[in-house]
Amino acid sequence: MTQDMSEKELKQLELDQLRKEVKLERQMISKTAKELITHIETMAAEDPILKGVPEATNPFKEKGGCTIS
């Protein structure tokens, strides 16, 4: 897509992206990291990666074996 665009169009896209980014609200990493740690700790009990998935609801469990005779 970007290969078919002129230099002017590419610069316009870059300018539009920079305008979007400058409007984003910034936060201190010290505050964000604390919030992230708190969120992870509160959600750990519900995390299927940590807790595991029950066999009854696991969509990836093997449905049956294959027998070659």
Side-chain angles (χ1 to χ4, degrees), residues 20-37:
K20 288 178 189 176
E21 290 178 18
V22 81
K23 292 178 185 176
L24 290 176
E25 181 183 341
R26 309 287 178 171
Q27 291 186 356
M28 299 291 290
I29 191 67
S30 57
K31 178 183 178 218
T32 306
K34 288 176 189 173
E35 291 174 358
L36 183 60
I37 290 169

Side-chain angles (χ1 to χ4, degrees), residues 48 53-64:
V53 179
E55 285 295 318
T57 59
N58 186 355
F60 301 106
K61 73 177 180 181
E62 291 189 27
K63 306 268 188 277

Side-chain angles (χ1 to χ4, degrees), residues 5-59:
M5 301 176 84
S6 70
E7 183 74 22
K8 182 179 178 183
E9 291 171 322
L10 289 172
K11 292 295 182 184
Q12 185 62 46
L13 282 176
E14 185 178 354
L15 182 62
D16 293 341
Q17 181 62 34
L18 290 172
R19 284 183 177 148
K20 288 178 189 176
E21 290 178 18
V22 81
K23 292 178 185 176
L24 290 176
E25 181 183 341
R26 309 287 178 171
Q27 291 186 356
M28 299 291 290
I29 191 67
S30 57
K31 178 183 178 218
T32 306
K34 288 176 189 173
E35 291 174 358
L36 183 60
I37 290 169
T38 304
H39 176 74
I40 290 171
E41 289 172 346
T42 57
M43 300 304 289
E46 301 171 22
D47 192 336
I49 294 175
L50 297 175
K51 190 169 97 173
V53 179
E55 285 295 318
T57 59
N58 186 355

